[in-house]
Amino acid sequence: MAASTLTEVARLAGVSPATASRVLNGSARKPGKDIADRVRQAAESLGYVPNAQAQGLAKSSSGLIGLIVHDIADPYFAAIARGVQEAAREQRKMVLLATTGGGPAEEREAVAAFAARRADSIVIAGSRSCREEDHDGNTALAAELDRYCRNGGQVAVVGHPVVGATAPEGYHVLRVPNRELADRLATELAGSWDGDFVIVGGPEGLLTSDDRVNGFQEGLARAGRRPAEVLRSAFNRSGGYEAGLELAARIKAGRSAEGAADPKLCIFAVNDVMAIGAAAALRSEGLRIPRDAAIAGFDDIETLRDFRPALSTVRLPLEDIGRLATRATGRGPAAGDAAEDAAPAGIAGEVTLRRSTETAA
Amino acid sequence: MAASTLTEVARLAGVSPATASRVLNGSARKPGKDIADRVRQAAESLGYVPNAQAQGLAKSSSGLIGLIVHDIADPYFAAIARGVQEAAREQRKMVLLATTGGGPAEEREAVAAFAARRADSIVIAGSRSCREEDHDGNTALAAELDRYCRNGGQVAVVGHPVVGATAPEGYHVLRVPNRELADRLATELAGSWDGDFVIVGGPEGLLTSDDRVNGFQEGLARAGRRPAEVLRSAFNRSGGYEAGLELAARIKAGRSAEGAADPKLCIFAVNDVMAIGAAAALRSEGLRIPRDAAIAGFDDIETLRDFRPALSTVRLPLEDIGRLATRATGRGPAAGDAAEDAAPAGIAGEVTLRRSTETAA
DNA sequence: CTGTTAGCGCCTTCAA
DNA sequence: TTGAAGGCGCTAACAG
């Protein structure tokens, strides 16, 4: 990795490295026009590319933003990543990507790696977990973040604070109103749906999933409905598919037992990808939506909008979320003091009822 | 960004920085067990995190892989990114992400930024363009890549070589058999479809799109079919949607003019996302697939597999593509000499006919 | 306004 | 095996 150095440029231009530095990079002092041109020309002819590592070392800041996601191929994270990218570009920084699969241990590793690279800030997307088995991992992650922040790093986490993080300075939490929105979704569905509700959730302890489950139950309760049964499975398409198979079996059983006019089921899957999986399962069992069962998701993933029947869901401004989280870490140590800045501009979702929960046959 | 330094650790452990370095990082020399423990303990208690920038500066290599995509939220790129991630992890490197929107100028910027950061290698995904308007941009991009490679960088580009790049050492091209596969798709479709074909392509000059268009035409020709008309629009969902509207109008016009038994159209959209857009347009115009028109895509995007009617398409191992491209840059300067390593393990796609092109009513 | 002198934190010869 | 010295490329204080 040998490239021409600032010193070489300076020599060619017949000036000191300091001067060359001043003209080639932003400095308060502005060198004379004549000399500046000579330097620029020398740089050009040598194909000089500043060494960001050296710059970083010298001014101890790297121009890097670390982004931690479960899986970059998941459209949910991909959308957030796009927002982060944009915000990074605004700040003239680059984004470093880490994919963890969701485990706190891997997240800790990622944070350490970012810290080692002296990333200016870290954005953590992806649900927190409070499962017992993740306890130690969370503690370690919290410690790592803590240290990173104490060393001047900025971190923003989407959704929930990292379990056990003792928010020093520079720790921002971008709250996402999952609970409230799920509540509202339940409310609206309860208004137009007479049958029972079932929730297809992720593993217990996944905070995002839990919020959506709980919110939904609350909405149901307020509407005077009885609580929905909760089926747990993986927080992805195949989890939804499995749950869907189970439900399909029940629906078919119930139907043959009672005849035709049985109470229809409305399935709430805690994210769109699971909802699609569940829908696929029902379909594979010969059931139709919304004829035999209604289904709703959460997130309003862009790629899934052309799905038929159109999926009722809750629209989340994923890109904005990424952007806002990133910005929260950008504005120097100004805006948010310590913990839990409530949604700055206010993350607002929107219940979006579509064909998949239409009650009309 | 102040953190404890190696020197501090060394002092606390009562050894020289050199020794501390040797124990904390992999070195040929192995320090005494006793001293090693002391150092490790000191490091632990100080919360020492090695400064990757300094390490990079010292040994001039950064452990970074740069990835350039048009748009990380596009599932095509997201899938490739996942593969790149995995390969990076194998190599114990991190990936730096750059989103360019597809313009050569922005790509050049990204390459320069990666070069500045001394990325060990760069992976460029996303179609090359040979449009006249991009000529200068391509030249500049080629020059930048050239310089990067001359300085010891490794670059892998997916699909086509960068127009004008004079492949020095370290320049790898991962060929994707778009043309062959499109050809095969046409062949298979021609076998089961009697009506005419129309191609919905991206802008002319987008190499990936052109390959697929040309390959498809070739397949058609070999099957004795007349060439398909080519509609050009943006290489994304909305491009497909627009083209779909146009086609819907034609179909409806043709139908009212001739009565019922008109020759049905089979639409080949050069990627899945466009196909979905086109399908949505047809549907919005009251047309049904495959009843009123057949449609096929390309890529076999995972998220779109649950789409109904199931989309006929060509399966591309996107994740492998990302992985292989990355690996090509990893194995030192060993494997590929200069240009165009033909697909190493052989990128193999697969024509996948599904419901959307079924001929049976 | 320019050049000189020190480091930034680490690795790597070279002696010891 | 360990320590001391020099340098990676650049910036930031000082001098001139």
Side-chain angles (χ1 to χ4, degrees), chain A residues 182-272:
Chain A
D183 180 323
R184 214 178 311 159
L185 173 63
T187 306
E188 298 208 16
L189 286 175
S192 66
W193 191 262
D194 293 326
D196 269 344
F197 291 87
V198 177
I199 299 176
V200 174
E204 188 150 21
L206 245 204
L207 265 29
T208 300
S209 172
D210 287 352
D211 274 358
R212 294 177 182 178
V213 169
N214 295 333
F216 197 83
Q217 298 283 34
E218 286 166 14
L220 249 33
R222 195 159 1 74
R225 299 310 198 82
R226 64 180 181 203
E229 179 188 356
V230 182
L231 260 48
R232 303 278 180 185
S233 55
F235 200 56
N236 53 32
R237 189 222 175 245
S238 69
Y241 191 85
E242 279 174 37
L245 286 182
E246 159 76 17
L247 289 171
R250 290 198 205 177
I251 293 170
K252 288 159 97 173
R255 179 196 285 165
S256 58
E258 305 177 24
D262 51 331
K264 281 199 290 185
L265 218 52
C266 178
I267 302 165
F268 166 52
V270 295
N271 69 44
D272 279 1

Side-chain angles (χ1 to χ4, degrees), chain B residues 5-6 21 25 48 51 55:
Chain B
T5 78
L6 185 59
S21 170
N25 309 320
Y48 169 72
N51 186 327
Q55 291 184 151

